[in-house]
Amino acid sequence: MNEYGYKVCYRKQGKEKLKIYLITNTYDLAEWHIRWYKKHTPTDSDTKRPLENVIWVIVPIKTYIEYKRLWRGCPF
């Protein structure tokens, strides 16, 4: 178990760069979100276009500094 949480990221087909879509506290919740996104296509937060042909990846948050940086702009 990771004490800092997990990032749900996606990568477009043919691209290398991962883009963070969501941050969660548990691995189970991250898996649930990926299953949901595969059934119900989400939109890109910048362009508002549907995210099609993407690969979803769960990446653990490894350090406390990364954890603080990612949750800094959290609205709740």
Side-chain angles (χ1 to χ4, degrees):
M1 184 176 139
N2 186 358
E3 64 181 280
Y4 298 119
Y6 297 90
K7 300 179 280 188
V8 176
C9 304
Y10 67 90
R11 182 179 72 218
K12 294 183 179 182
Q13 295 281 348
K15 303 286 183 175
E16 293 293 321
K17 186 176 179 180
L18 287 175
K19 187 169 181 182
I20 298 173
Y21 193 78
L22 178 75
I23 302 166
T24 67
N25 290 326
T26 64
Y27 189 83
D28 292 337
L29 187 58
E31 283 184 328
W32 183 88
H33 279 284
I34 287 178
R35 285 193 307 270
W36 178 263
Y37 296 152
K38 287 182 179 179
K39 292 179 184 175
H40 305 89
T41 306
T43 58
D44 188 348
S45 59
D46 296 331
T47 62
K48 305 297 185 220
R49 294 183 183 172
L51 291 173
E52 297 173 344
N53 297 324
V54 296
I55 299 169
W56 292 98
V57 181
I58 299 172
V59 180
I61 299 171
K62 296 180 181 177
T63 64
Y64 180 73
I65 295 169
E66 181 182 12
Y67 168 80
K68 293 295 282 183
R69 184 182 60 82
L70 289 171
W71 283 100
R72 178 180 53 206
C74 183
F76 45 85

